[in-house]
């Protein structure tokens, strides 16, 4: 049968000729929704099994349908399946091939369903599968960070506010901050999956069906918690895709923040970390350059991922119930955004495992910028009983003196310190070193090396 004849049959008796080239161009989705083949086949097999169990089709027809769909899956995975643009989408391509394989029995598969609930099912299954994949990837990244944090629980580095040296922290503590962020990301992914895990199959076009179907049976067969409760909402809902994109956007933002830090840390000015050739590139004219291109590309992914979220939000914002063809614009951006989120996680996991820390450079930087000034203020409060505001003022004068002389706080003589405040004793020098500073931060969630060791160990055990 010619493609034009096939198209005529697909459109049915309402149309006497196939769509012209422009209509075919705007209407066809097979170029990208073929990605849903596994979900489409799984949904059709569950539907056929249910139809037979309910006596709506014969057991023989159901078996022929399941067997034919197995063959189609094998053909697609082997690359021998011929996708036809004239058949619009993955659903009609599969159904047409099924008819070639098993004959008239293929026509019984579409009993008690519509392409509306079929595509809603396929897309939900795809999003659910992708959420599971992203969750596993994020877990792997958290493990990589926790392992690196444990190895550097006592490696001192500067902590920053406003990208200015603030107080010393440890490299392990810094990395564990991202573990906490990613844990929240996993929580969001799990929440999104829970809300997505309702089965729209059986809602048909928009109003349900008069056939005695068992929607709970198909929902269970496909691993859903329950069938969706309203047929109109079932075919018009894309919240699960929006939520997946929103969660992926927050996740990508976290990856971008870490990527930016890796870019900064790997500069010649910082020299905090080094990436191997596996995650760096050279310059075409400057032989000394090592560019952190992988980190820069991860940093950029947030643009297309957050853009996809905004794009789908705009598609959905003005749609009346129920299904509208506008919703065909959901898939490309979701496929692209979630695939790029997955790639960014994989690249970041590789960089975290690959990067080596320059502990000497980190420690030297931690001691610059008078980063232990707060420790001196705390000492004045703790040892001399000064109100913190007064201690802050005294410490400010000590910092000004050190800056005037161009030296670090610990290089000031005791006479110079006592010239600012006579109560200062030699014991104050103990808090001016960066190692003592981080060891003193023992409050829960603080940067003390033992805290970091405990938290990293806890995460490694939890992620095990």
């Amino acid at each position: 049968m010619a493609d034009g004849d096939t198209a005529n049959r697909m459109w049915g008796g309402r149309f006497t000729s196939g769509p012209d080239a422009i209509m075919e161009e705007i209407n066809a989705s097979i170029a990208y929704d073929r990605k849903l083949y596994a979900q489409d086949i799984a949904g059709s097999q569950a539907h056929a099994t249910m139809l037979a169990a309910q006596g709506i089709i014969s057991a023989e027809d159901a078996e022929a349908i399941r067997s034919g769909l197995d063959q189609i899956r094998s053909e697609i995975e082997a690359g021998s399946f011929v996708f036809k643009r004239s058949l619009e989408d993955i659903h009609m391509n599969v159904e047409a091939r099924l008819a070639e394989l098993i004959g008239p029995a293929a026509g019984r598969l579409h009993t008690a369903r519509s392409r509306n609930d079929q595509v809603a099912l396929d897309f939900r299954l795809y999003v659910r599968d992708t959420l599971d994949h992203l969750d596993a990837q994020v877990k792997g990244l958290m493990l990589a960070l926790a392992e690196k944090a444990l190895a550097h629980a006592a490696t001192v580095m500067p902590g920053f506010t406003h990208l200015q040296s603030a107080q010393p922290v440890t490299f392990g503590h810094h990395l564990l901050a991202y573990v906490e962020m990613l844990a929240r990301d996993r929580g969001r992914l799990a929440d999104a999956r829970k809300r997505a895990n309702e089965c729209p199959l059986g809602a048909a076009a928009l109003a349900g069906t008069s056939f005695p179907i068992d929607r709970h049976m198909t929902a269970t067969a496909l691993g859903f918690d329950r069938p969706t409760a309203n047929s109109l909402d079932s075919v018009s809902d894309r919240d699960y895709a929006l939520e997946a994109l929103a969660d992926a956007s927050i996740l990508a933002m976290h990856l971008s923040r870490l990527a930016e830090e890796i870019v900064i840390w790997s500069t010649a000015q910082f020299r905090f970390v080094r990436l191997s050739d596996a995650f760096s590139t050279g310059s075409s004219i400057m032989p000394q350059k090592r560019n952190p291109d992988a980190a820069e590309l991860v940093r950029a992914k947030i643009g297309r991922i957050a853009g996809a979220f905004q794009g789908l939000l705009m598609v959905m914002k003005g749609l009346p119930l129920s299904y509208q063809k506008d919703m065909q614009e959901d898939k490309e951006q979701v496929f692209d955004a979630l695939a790029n989120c997955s790639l960014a996680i994989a690249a970041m996991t590789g960089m975290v495992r690959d990067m080596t820390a320059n502990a000497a450079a980190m420690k030297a930087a931690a001691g610059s910028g008078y980063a232990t000034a707060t420790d001196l203020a705390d000492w004045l409060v703790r040892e001399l009983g000064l109100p913190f505001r007064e201690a802050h003022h005294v410490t400010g004068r000590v910092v000004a003196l050190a800056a005037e002389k161009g030296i670090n706080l610990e290089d000031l003589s005791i006479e110079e310190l006592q010239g600012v405040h006579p109560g200062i004793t030699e014991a104050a020098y103990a808090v001016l070193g960066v190692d003592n500073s981080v060891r003193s931060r023992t409050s829960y969630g603080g940067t003390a090396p033992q805290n970091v060791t405990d938290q990293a160990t806890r995460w490694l055990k939890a992620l095990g």
Side-chain angles (χ1 to χ4, degrees), residues 90-429:
I90 186 62
H91 324 297
M92 295 308 299
N93 269 266
V94 169
E95 188 171 324
R97 177 58 177 151
L98 186 63
E100 293 174 355
L101 291 173
I102 69 172
R108 304 189 188 282
L109 173 60
H110 211 54
T111 306
R113 77 173 183 184
S114 161
R115 274 198 292 177
N116 292 355
D117 62 338
Q118 189 177 359
V119 69
L121 170 68
D122 294 358
F123 202 28
R124 273 184 190 259
L125 286 171
Y126 177 86
V127 169
R128 189 184 72 181
D129 292 345
T130 304
L131 289 172
D132 289 342
H133 175 68
L134 293 177
D135 178 74
Q137 283 191 293
V138 175
K139 179 181 177 181
L141 176 53
M142 292 172 68
L143 276 167
L145 287 163
E147 288 167 0
K148 188 83 58 172
L150 184 61
H152 291 282
T155 301
V156 179
M157 69 174 290
F160 298 96
T161 60
H162 309 280
L163 204 55
Q164 305 293 316
S165 292
Q167 293 177 272
V169 296
T170 72
F171 188 41
H173 190 59
H174 196 113
L175 295 178
L176 286 179
Y178 285 99
V179 175
E180 296 292 333
M181 294 182 208
L182 293 168
R184 295 193 293 273
D185 288 319
R186 287 191 77 195
R188 278 183 283 269
L189 293 174
D191 287 345
R193 190 194 194 282
K194 182 178 181 180
R195 277 183 286 277
N197 206 34
E198 295 184 352
C199 183
L201 186 59
L206 76 161
T209 177
S210 59
F211 288 95
I213 61 173
D214 185 346
R215 293 190 62 207
H216 288 85
M217 179 180 176
T218 48
T220 299
L222 293 166
F224 288 102
D225 292 331
R226 63 192 68 83
T228 50
N230 182 284
S231 61
L232 288 167
D233 181 54
S234 301
V235 299
S236 63
D237 170 40
R238 293 297 184 270
D239 287 2
Y240 55 91
L242 282 165
E243 190 168 2
L245 289 177
D247 295 348
S249 297
I250 298 173
L251 169 56
M253 177 270 292
H254 289 152
L255 298 178
S256 183
R257 294 182 72 181
L258 180 52
E260 168 68 0
E261 297 210 286
I262 291 174
V263 170
I264 293 171
W265 292 342
S266 61
T267 61
Q269 291 74 23
F270 273 73
R271 297 183 299 112
F272 285 3
V273 302
R274 185 181 188 276
L275 294 173
S276 76
D277 291 346
F279 291 95
S280 304
T281 64
S283 166
S284 61
I285 64 170
M286 294 173 284
Q288 83 281 8
K289 293 288 293 298
R290 291 178 59 84
N291 300 323
D293 281 8
E296 292 171 14
L297 289 167
V298 168
R299 184 176 61 188
K301 292 298 183 185
I302 177 65
R304 68 197 298 169
I305 295 168
F309 170 63
Q310 289 296 326
L312 183 55
L313 200 64
M314 293 304 99
V315 168
M316 297 300 299
K317 74 174 184 63
L319 299 186
L321 295 178
S322 59
Y323 179 80
Q324 313 291 332
K325 192 68 170 180
D326 309 52
M327 294 180 192
Q328 187 168 294
E329 289 295 308
D330 57 3
K331 293 169 196 64
E332 284 184 282
Q333 50 200 331
V334 171
F335 293 160
D336 178 81
L338 297 184
N340 275 279
C341 186
S342 175
L343 179 58
I345 300 168
M348 183 56 72
T349 304
M351 280 186 284
V352 168
R353 294 196 179 282
D354 177 80
M355 69 181 180
T356 55
N358 184 341
M362 286 184 176
K363 186 170 184 179
S368 66
Y370 312 110
T372 56
T374 304
D375 296 274
L376 177 59
D378 289 345
W379 184 89
L380 292 169
V381 171
R382 188 171 55 250
E383 301 298 326
L384 303 186
L386 270 62
F388 184 80
R389 287 302 173 199
E390 182 180 347
H392 185 282
H393 178 71
V394 170
T395 302
R397 291 170 57 199
V398 170
V399 169
L401 178 61
E404 180 184 337
K405 292 179 173 292
I407 59 177
N408 293 323
L409 296 181
E410 61 267 31
D411 296 325
L412 290 168
S413 68
I414 186 62
E415 290 79 17
E416 289 169 326
L417 290 173
Q418 289 176 341
V420 175
H421 192 286
I424 298 177
T425 68
E426 295 277 355
Y429 286 101

Side-chain angles (χ1 to χ4, degrees), residues 18-28 85:
D20 64 21
I22 294 174
M23 183 59 189
E24 182 174 312
E25 181 68 24
I26 197 171
N27 194 51
R85 184 179 176 84

